[in-house]
Amino acid sequence: MDNWRKPSTISYKRWSNPQLRGEANFSAQNDEIQGTDNEICTIASPRVHSRTNESGSRPGFDQTEATFTVDDALEAIGYGKFQWKLALLTGLSWIGDAMEMMILSILSPQLHCEWRLPSYQVAMITAVVFVGMCFGSPTWGNMADNFGRKVGLTICMCWTLYFGLLSAFAPVYGWLLFLRGLVGFGISGAPQAVTMYSEFLPVKARGTCIMLIAAFWAIGAVFEVLLALWIMPTLGWRWLLGLSTIPMAIFLCFCFWLPESPRFDRLTGKTEKAMATLIRIAKENGKEMPKGKMAACKKNDRGRLKDLFSPQYWRTTLLLCFIWFANAFSYYGIVLLTTELFQSKDLCGTTQGAKIEQNCSLECKYLTSADYKDLLWTTLAEFPGLLVILLLVDRIGRKKSLAMCFFMFSLCILPLYACIGRLALTILIFIARAFISGGYQVVFVYTPEVFPTENRALAMGTCSAMARVGSLITPFVAQVLLRSSVYLTVSMYFCCSLLAGIASLILPIETLGRGLQESSLDQEARGQTTTTNPRSYGTASC
């Protein structure tokens, strides 16, 4: 027995193939250190006396038993039939999110005419949805980190469906305002679909697949415009509100199929449940699981806001909060600027800095079929932007792709200082919206990759809340400030996007090819390992 009390020896193995790292129990690395294809892991083994070696292995001690992590399993299973089904189901929540957001640009002018609302009350219909989102985003993120991704996403879809249907029966303005605020609170949980989906993807497929699921948002926005074009002239806005909840209803009908994230189950100690989920995925994809047993993961408190501002993450958190803010501020700003600039009587004078004439607050103008068609063309700009970023995000990396989107948006905004024609203005706005919507998708790829499982959903919720703050502020710039000074308005969008591009480049790490982290506790363990051998490298798994 004395032989087993002696100090352990630490041996180092360099893996040239990440697929073979399952024999070791890896620890997560600090945010500042990158994982590489050539990894050195540590394997602790007892120092055994030579006589023991001569007589054979100690009974009951299996020295060859291999272990693997969720990352190892997902890499072995690969991308297949299961992930396609998951993409379609989680994509329904994105379609519902897009439709509820797109309906704001259709509902406001209709109620302005039908209920004879002044301008500030019309603006409140949009603002109250974003206020609800500001409170809902971190709430749903905390729930998903503590009770599971499936639980958080399912409850938020139930909430949104219920209050979305009730808002279609709102008798007066006050009730509509209250119910739409609750819809905003619920729909803010939709980004957790990306958190959940990302945790089922192998490393190489993650960037492309998350970008593809983001295409459901653009599909939802286009579908809402087409639905409004069909419904509004005959049945009215109440039917539009009711029918816009159909994607969420379909999601809830099939949500029983959704498994819980194996990363979450493993982190919470439910290793057997995580194994069962991985075996199910392997069976559906027609692949085999890695040999051995799943490595245990250290338990840690989950969903704590203070962890986002720990020494490992505070810089990343602050930069991402600003990037999300700038993304929403610029995206909704270009949407609102499109309408304001096109409705201006003297377009050339407007773009040279002249004030836009104030309209009567009770002036009523219903949306026509031509307006819906223009809105549709503007919305279609998101597809080419998504295609461009899809080709770049796994080639030049997340940080450079995100920075390029902001810089291109700034470049397209610059000509608005000069006198340009309507055609040129339309083309520039089309390109600007394409790139800023592409940037929105890149940040959805990057954020889940950079935070560990224990607070990944909370990080998404917190960053999403900052985006809603940007959405709240931008109407006052694009609609109110624009009437005083076009130069100042354009300058604010230009500077904000330029700073966001710089912030993207100075993010601490590039997550391209990097495994998802499981727990921040493992970063401390890896930190000790790297001090033992400065040549060691790390991965993001426990």
Side-chain angles (χ1 to χ4, degrees):
M1 294 298 293
D2 292 339
N3 294 330
W4 293 92
R5 296 192 185 100
K6 293 182 179 180
S8 300
T9 59
I10 305 296
S11 61
Y12 296 88
K13 287 187 177 182
R14 179 179 295 276
W15 302 103
S16 59
N17 185 355
Q19 302 287 346
L20 302 178
R21 64 186 180 186
E23 296 182 6
N25 188 12
F26 281 33
S27 298
Q29 182 60 289
N30 187 285
D31 257 11
E32 310 294 332
I33 302 176
Q34 295 294 314
T36 65
D37 289 336
N38 295 321
E39 299 165 348
I40 293 181
C41 65
T42 62
I43 305 175
S45 59
R47 185 186 300 274
V48 183
H49 196 272
S50 59
R51 288 179 301 176
T52 306
N53 292 333
E54 294 173 0
S55 61
S57 300
R58 181 181 175 89
F61 184 85
D62 186 0
Q63 294 179 328
T64 61
E65 185 177 16
T67 61
F68 62 87
T69 65
V70 177
D71 263 331
D72 299 324
L74 290 175
E75 290 299 321
I77 294 169
Y79 189 90
K81 185 178 178 181
F82 175 86
Q83 282 86 356
W84 277 109
K85 292 180 180 178
L86 186 64
L88 292 174
L89 189 53
T90 52
L92 285 170
S93 63
W94 269 118
I95 292 176
D97 181 12
M99 293 178 71
E100 291 296 336
M101 295 305 299
M102 199 65 194
I103 205 172
L104 297 175
S105 60
I106 299 169
L107 185 63
S108 296
Q110 186 73 20
L111 292 180
H112 179 50
C113 294
E114 189 171 323
W115 285 357
R116 308 299 295 175
L117 300 176
S119 297
Y120 77 92
Q121 288 188 341
V122 174
M124 282 299 295
I125 297 174
T126 301
V128 74
V129 175
F130 290 121
V131 170
M133 287 180 167
C134 289
F135 289 100
S137 293
T139 302
W140 295 117
N142 184 273
M143 177 179 289
D145 276 334
N146 282 284
F147 301 103
R149 281 61 164 128
K150 178 180 178 179
V151 173
L153 185 60
T154 303
I155 294 178
C156 87
M157 288 294 106
C158 287
W159 179 291
T160 309
L161 174 64
Y162 179 71
F163 288 107
L165 286 173
L166 280 184
S167 63
F169 299 95
V172 293
Y173 172 77
W175 270 108
L176 180 67
L177 211 62
F178 175 71
L179 292 171
R180 294 310 294 176
L182 292 176
V183 169
F185 183 90
I187 204 64
S188 62
Q192 299 309 327
V194 177
T195 303
M196 183 175 193
Y197 185 57
S198 66
E199 294 181 351
F200 285 91
L201 297 173
V203 174
K204 291 183 179 180
R206 192 184 306 125
T208 302
C209 293
I210 293 179
M211 293 292 292
L212 287 176
I213 196 177
F216 284 99
W217 206 98
I219 292 171
V222 171
F223 183 71
E224 183 65 26
V225 177
L226 293 174
L227 185 64
L229 182 60
W230 174 47
I231 293 295
M232 291 297 286
T234 55
L235 300 177
W237 62 271
R238 294 184 186 275
W239 278 91
L240 183 64
L241 285 178
L243 293 175
S244 296
T245 61
I246 289 178
M248 289 172 283
I250 298 175
F251 172 86
L252 293 174
C253 289
F254 293 95
C255 67
F256 66 89
W257 177 87
L258 276 177
E260 184 52 82
S261 165
R263 295 181 185 274
F264 177 83
D265 283 335
R266 182 179 176 224
L267 188 65
T268 54
K270 302 175 183 177
T271 308
E272 293 182 0
K273 189 177 178 182
M275 275 292 294
T277 301
L278 292 170
I279 292 171
R280 172 187 168 185
I281 300 172
K283 185 178 179 181
E284 289 201 37
N285 288 358
K287 299 292 182 64
E288 291 186 1
M289 287 282 291
K291 302 297 182 181
K293 66 178 183 179
M294 183 178 291
C297 190
K298 299 176 183 178
K299 290 186 179 180
N300 194 10
D301 293 330
R302 305 181 305 278
R304 299 188 304 181
L305 186 62
K306 67 177 183 179
D307 290 339
L308 300 182
F309 297 93
S310 63
Q312 297 97 327
Y313 296 113
W314 69 268
R315 193 168 129 198
T316 302
T317 300
L318 292 178
L319 287 171
L320 278 178
C321 281
F322 175 70
I323 289 170
W324 278 72
F325 170 89
N327 238 320
F329 179 77
S330 303
Y331 175 80
Y332 291 107
I334 198 65
V335 172
L336 295 174
L337 278 175
T338 302
T339 305
E340 293 293 327
L341 292 175
F342 282 171
Q343 286 182 343
S344 175
K345 296 178 181 179
D346 183 10
L347 184 61
C348 188
T350 297
T351 55
Q352 286 189 12
K355 296 180 180 179
I356 296 179
E357 295 181 3
Q358 298 275 358
N359 294 324
C360 175
S361 63
L362 292 177
E363 181 182 356
C364 177
K365 180 183 178 183
Y366 286 98
L367 292 176
T368 64
S369 59
D371 293 327
Y372 286 120
K373 290 176 183 178
D374 289 341
L375 189 60
L376 178 61
W377 279 111
T378 307
T379 306
L380 289 173
E382 300 192 12
F383 287 101
L386 181 63
L387 180 61
V388 171
I389 298 303
L390 184 63
L391 297 173
L392 294 177
V393 71
D394 281 333
R395 288 173 173 79
I396 66 174
R398 280 60 159 147
K399 291 167 55 177
K400 291 180 180 178
S401 297
L402 191 56
M404 185 193 71
C405 289
F406 281 116
F407 291 146
M408 287 299 297
F409 179 83
S410 303
L411 193 63
C412 292
I413 285 292
L414 272 179
L416 297 184
Y417 285 104
C419 178
I420 57 177
R422 185 183 180 93
L423 178 60
L425 180 65
T426 304
I427 294 173
L428 287 171
I429 290 177
F430 186 93
I431 298 173
R433 181 164 177 177
F435 275 102
I436 200 63
S437 62
Y440 226 142
Q441 309 314 326
V442 177
V443 81
F444 269 105
V445 175
Y446 182 86
T447 306
E449 291 180 334
V450 80
F451 290 100
T453 303
E454 64 191 27
N455 54 28
R456 182 174 297 124
L458 179 61
M460 285 287 289
T462 303
C463 291
S464 181
M466 288 303 300
R468 308 312 176 185
V469 174
S471 306
L472 267 174
I473 296 174
T474 200
F476 297 97
V477 177
Q479 293 177 319
V480 179
L481 183 62
L482 184 69
R483 300 185 185 280
S484 300
S485 173
V486 176
Y487 283 163
L488 184 57
T489 302
V490 173
S491 297
M492 288 191 67
Y493 286 110
F494 174 79
C495 293
C496 184
S497 58
L498 189 64
L499 290 174
I502 297 172
S504 302
L505 291 176
I506 63 175
L507 282 166
I509 63 171
E510 171 58 63
T511 60
L512 177 62
R514 185 174 185 256
L516 292 183
Q517 302 176 70
E518 300 294 347
S519 172
S520 60
L521 284 177
D522 302 312
Q523 294 182 345
E524 299 174 5
R526 176 176 291 178
Q528 295 174 359
T529 303
T530 55
T531 57
T532 304
N533 185 355
R535 294 178 57 199
S536 62
Y537 297 86
T539 61
S541 55
C542 56

